Amino acid sequence: MTAVVPIPSSLDDVTFEQVAAKLADAPADAKVLVDARHARWASPYGLTALLALAQSREVRPSFAPPEAEDTLSYWARTGFFAHAEELYDFTRAVPRGRAPAESNVLLGITRITIANDVHEIVGRIQERATAILRDGLGLDPRSTMRFSMTLSEACQNVTEHAGRDGWVAVQSYTWKQRLGRRVVVIAVCDAGIGFRRSLESNVARPRNDRWDDGMALEEGVLRNVSRFRESGRGQGLSQIRSFVTKFQGKLAVRSGTARIALVPDWDDDVALREGLAPFPGAQVQITIPQAVPADGGAGGGGRASAKPAATAAPAARPAPPLELL
């Protein structure tokens, strides 16, 4: 029997929880049909997480592509189908074989293979990332180097900790409903071993009764703890936090059954969610907003700050506008 996993019309880091919850009902060796026929939009996180979803299954899943032609065309431009055809059986023809598009608003989906030098990957896409920052956000040119370092660190986590391949994608668009200004969104997703198992590989590290996915995220994301015994390791996420805070951005990391976030003033997310539907690996989203004008501009902004922890399941956000590019 095939389990059907419907994809929401708007797929992002929040609505993907609906997908993870539905997937949790199907054993790993069950046949799954990912039904994206009614999808109209997906963030970089949503698309790369769909690739990780297929990677996590023991039986090759099927995939029903979006019915809307503009959605189908856009997903092809991101390179999604080029990667997905290696992981899914499509229920109908899709625009295949296209290399990910390159523009000043989009870095198409790039596979991070543990056999490759991640710096080579980052070097190849650095030029486009620089253009996205320059044209998309108007950030100081000196920031492009820190941006590249942030991207490199996010990808490095896949090669060092996941134990299997992952994907990275970057996109700039206007987030009208939340900020009223442009953002750059970086997503890095894999279906590897995740934070908890990675940290558990260091058997010398003491753990307490609370040791779970949430605590592993706190250790890895907030306290720079790594699986390595040597001091000074685990600084990659620290650099990402520093970059995100400087530019009033947001960092969210999901692993296992928990999700942790560094939440800026312009967002109403919570710092820690636990008890989520299990999903393997680690899924990272970094959101950098356009600089606030000197007079405050639309959308405000502010220094990143932690919000009270919560355990409730996240609610789906309203669908973002379709005129994103």
Side-chain angles (χ1 to χ4, degrees):
M1 183 174 181
T2 299
V4 179
V5 179
I7 301 303
S9 61
S10 177
L11 182 64
D12 59 14
D13 60 315
V14 176
T15 58
F16 186 77
E17 294 304 327
Q18 300 173 33
V19 179
K22 190 67 178 178
L23 194 69
D25 295 334
D29 59 352
K31 179 69 175 179
V32 165
L33 168 63
V34 176
D35 183 2
R37 289 176 300 163
H38 304 300
R40 293 301 311 272
W41 183 81
S43 70
Y45 182 102
L47 293 176
T48 52
L50 285 180
L51 296 174
L53 184 161
Q55 190 184 40
S56 71
R57 304 301 298 177
E58 296 180 9
V59 177
R60 184 179 173 95
S62 299
F63 190 91
E67 292 179 341
E69 288 300 321
D70 57 345
T71 305
L72 197 69
S73 175
Y74 174 68
W75 287 27
R77 287 168 53 203
T78 68
F80 173 77
F81 294 125
H83 293 286
E85 66 181 353
E86 300 178 8
L87 302 165
Y88 287 101
D89 293 323
F90 295 127
T91 59
R92 69 180 180 91
V94 296
R96 296 186 181 184
R98 295 185 182 180
E102 291 187 348
S103 71
N104 286 4
V105 296
L106 173 68
L107 264 174
I109 297 171
T110 300
R111 187 168 191 157
I112 307 166
T113 63
I114 58 175
N116 284 357
D117 181 354
V118 68
H119 294 96
E120 180 182 341
I121 297 173
V122 174
R124 190 166 65 246
I125 62 179
Q126 183 174 358
E127 181 182 352
R128 304 317 314 159
T130 300
I132 288 175
L133 282 176
R134 183 191 63 223
D135 300 338
L137 299 186
L139 294 183
D140 188 301
R142 290 173 297 183
S143 301
T144 59
M145 179 59 69
R146 296 194 64 185
F147 176 85
S148 296
M149 292 173 60
T150 300
L151 189 61
S152 175
E153 294 295 344
C155 296
Q156 193 78 40
N157 280 332
V158 174
T159 61
E160 288 195 350
H161 303 287
R164 64 192 311 177
D165 297 352
W167 290 269
V168 57
V170 183
Q171 182 184 355
S172 173
Y173 56 86
T174 299
W175 199 356
K176 293 182 179 178
Q177 292 184 345
R178 176 68 61 171
L179 280 168
R181 48 192 165 115
R182 295 190 70 82
V183 296
V184 166
V185 177
I186 305 167
V188 182
C189 292
D190 68 74
I193 64 174
F195 273 68
R196 181 172 57 81
R197 285 183 56 194
S198 176
L199 295 183
E200 285 175 352
S201 64
N202 183 353
V203 296
R205 185 170 299 285
R207 286 180 279 275
N208 58 32
D209 293 340
R210 194 216 139 185
W211 181 248
D212 54 17
D213 290 319
M215 187 172 183
L217 283 173
E218 291 178 10
E219 294 280 283
V221 177
L222 302 181
R223 303 189 183 99
N224 310 328
V225 174
S226 82
R227 64 186 175 90
F228 300 104
R229 296 188 181 187
E230 301 89 340
S231 60
R233 304 297 297 263
Q235 296 300 311
L237 283 167
S238 174
Q239 294 186 31
I240 292 174
R241 291 204 320 272
S242 175
F243 178 85
V244 166
T245 301
K246 176 177 175 62
F247 293 102
Q248 302 172 10
K250 178 180 178 181
L251 167 67
V253 184
R254 189 196 198 285
S255 185
T257 59
R259 178 177 179 274
I260 198 167
L262 187 67
V263 186
D265 291 343
W266 49 258
D267 198 55
D268 58 3
D269 206 344
V270 295
L272 178 65
R273 296 180 188 276
E274 297 182 280
L276 301 176
F279 192 78
Q283 297 80 46
V284 178
Q285 177 166 289
I286 300 166
T287 306
I288 306 298
Q290 187 177 30
V292 180
D295 60 359
R303 186 173 58 84
S305 61
K307 299 292 180 64
T311 57
R317 287 177 178 156
L322 296 177
E323 62 278 18
L324 296 173
L325 297 177

